[in-house]
PDB file of all heavy atoms in Angstrom:
ATOM      1  N   GLY S 134     253.470  83.656 194.831  1.00 90.00           N
ATOM      2  CA  GLY S 134     252.897  84.961 194.518  1.00 90.00           C
ATOM      3  C   GLY S 134     253.828  86.028 195.083  1.00 90.00           C
ATOM      4  O   GLY S 134     254.967  85.774 195.410  1.00 90.00           O
ATOM      5  N   GLY S 135     253.318  87.239 195.253  1.00 88.00           N
ATOM      6  CA  GLY S 135     254.150  88.308 195.766  1.00 88.00           C
ATOM      7  C   GLY S 135     255.187  88.724 194.752  1.00 88.00           C
ATOM      8  O   GLY S 135     255.034  88.521 193.542  1.00 88.00           O
ATOM      9  N   TYR S 136     256.305  89.254 195.279  1.00 93.00           N
ATOM     10  CA  TYR S 136     257.358  89.689 194.386  1.00 93.00           C
ATOM     11  C   TYR S 136     258.112  88.471 193.861  1.00 93.00           C
ATOM     12  O   TYR S 136     258.466  87.591 194.627  1.00 93.00           O
ATOM     13  CB  TYR S 136     258.313  90.613 195.133  1.00 93.00           C
ATOM     14  CG  TYR S 136     259.345  91.262 194.276  1.00 93.00           C
ATOM     15  CD1 TYR S 136     259.083  92.437 193.583  1.00 93.00           C
ATOM     16  CD2 TYR S 136     260.607  90.680 194.102  1.00 93.00           C
ATOM     17  CE1 TYR S 136     260.026  93.038 192.801  1.00 93.00           C
ATOM     18  CE2 TYR S 136     261.547  91.254 193.313  1.00 93.00           C
ATOM     19  CZ  TYR S 136     261.276  92.435 192.652  1.00 93.00           C
ATOM     20  OH  TYR S 136     262.209  93.006 191.856  1.00 93.00           O
ATOM     21  N   VAL S 137     258.324  88.447 192.571  1.00 94.00           N
ATOM     22  CA  VAL S 137     258.987  87.296 191.957  1.00 94.00           C
ATOM     23  C   VAL S 137     260.267  87.735 191.267  1.00 94.00           C
ATOM     24  O   VAL S 137     260.249  88.625 190.403  1.00 94.00           O
ATOM     25  CB  VAL S 137     258.061  86.606 190.928  1.00 94.00           C
ATOM     26  CG1 VAL S 137     258.806  85.496 190.231  1.00 94.00           C
ATOM     27  CG2 VAL S 137     256.833  86.047 191.610  1.00 94.00           C
ATOM     28  N   ASN S 138     261.370  87.213 191.693  1.00 93.00           N
ATOM     29  CA  ASN S 138     262.599  87.286 190.893  1.00 93.00           C
ATOM     30  C   ASN S 138     263.305  85.946 191.039  1.00 93.00           C
ATOM     31  O   ASN S 138     262.887  85.072 191.810  1.00 93.00           O
ATOM     32  CB  ASN S 138     263.463  88.481 191.245  1.00 93.00           C
ATOM     33  CG  ASN S 138     263.987  88.409 192.644  1.00 93.00           C
ATOM     34  OD1 ASN S 138     263.824  87.410 193.342  1.00 93.00           O
ATOM     35  ND2 ASN S 138     264.597  89.452 193.115  1.00 93.00           N
ATOM     36  N   ILE S 139     264.375  85.762 190.299  1.00 94.00           N
ATOM     37  CA  ILE S 139     265.014  84.453 190.279  1.00 94.00           C
ATOM     38  C   ILE S 139     265.528  84.063 191.640  1.00 94.00           C
ATOM     39  O   ILE S 139     265.512  82.881 192.011  1.00 94.00           O
ATOM     40  CB  ILE S 139     266.109  84.386 189.166  1.00 94.00           C
ATOM     41  CG1 ILE S 139     266.648  82.976 189.052  1.00 94.00           C
ATOM     42  CG2 ILE S 139     267.244  85.355 189.430  1.00 94.00           C
ATOM     43  CD1 ILE S 139     265.649  81.899 188.691  1.00 94.00           C
ATOM     44  N   ARG S 140     265.982  85.043 192.453  1.00 95.00           N
ATOM     45  CA  ARG S 140     266.532  84.695 193.752  1.00 95.00           C
ATOM     46  C   ARG S 140     265.424  84.178 194.666  1.00 95.00           C
ATOM     47  O   ARG S 140     265.626  83.249 195.437  1.00 95.00           O
ATOM     48  CB  ARG S 140     267.219  85.895 194.358  1.00 95.00           C
ATOM     49  CG  ARG S 140     268.561  86.167 193.696  1.00 95.00           C
ATOM     50  CD  ARG S 140     269.256  87.387 194.209  1.00 95.00           C
ATOM     51  NE  ARG S 140     269.764  88.142 193.098  1.00 95.00           N
ATOM     52  CZ  ARG S 140     269.200  89.219 192.601  1.00 95.00           C
ATOM     53  NH1 ARG S 140     268.125  89.710 193.146  1.00 95.00           N
ATOM     54  NH2 ARG S 140     269.724  89.819 191.574  1.00 95.00           N
ATOM     55  N   ASN S 141     264.244  84.820 194.580  1.00 95.00           N
ATOM     56  CA  ASN S 141     263.146  84.337 195.397  1.00 95.00           C
ATOM     57  C   ASN S 141     262.697  82.932 194.943  1.00 95.00           C
ATOM     58  O   ASN S 141     262.399  82.063 195.776  1.00 95.00           O
ATOM     59  CB  ASN S 141     261.958  85.310 195.295  1.00 95.00           C
ATOM     60  CG  ASN S 141     262.116  86.472 196.234  1.00 95.00           C
ATOM     61  OD1 ASN S 141     263.224  86.803 196.613  1.00 95.00           O
ATOM     62  ND2 ASN S 141     261.023  87.095 196.593  1.00 95.00           N
ATOM     63  N   ILE S 142     262.638  82.739 193.643  1.00 95.00           N
ATOM     64  CA  ILE S 142     262.247  81.415 193.119  1.00 95.00           C
ATOM     65  C   ILE S 142     263.239  80.362 193.579  1.00 95.00           C
ATOM     66  O   ILE S 142     262.858  79.259 194.014  1.00 95.00           O
ATOM     67  CB  ILE S 142     262.170  81.456 191.581  1.00 95.00           C
ATOM     68  CG1 ILE S 142     261.018  82.373 191.149  1.00 95.00           C
ATOM     69  CG2 ILE S 142     261.961  80.072 191.011  1.00 95.00           C
ATOM     70  CD1 ILE S 142     260.995  82.616 189.678  1.00 95.00           C
TER      71      ILE S 142
END
Side-chain angles (χ1 to χ4, degrees):
Chain S
Y136 186 86
V137 175
N138 64 8
I139 186 60
R140 285 177 225 101
N141 277 25
I142 293 171

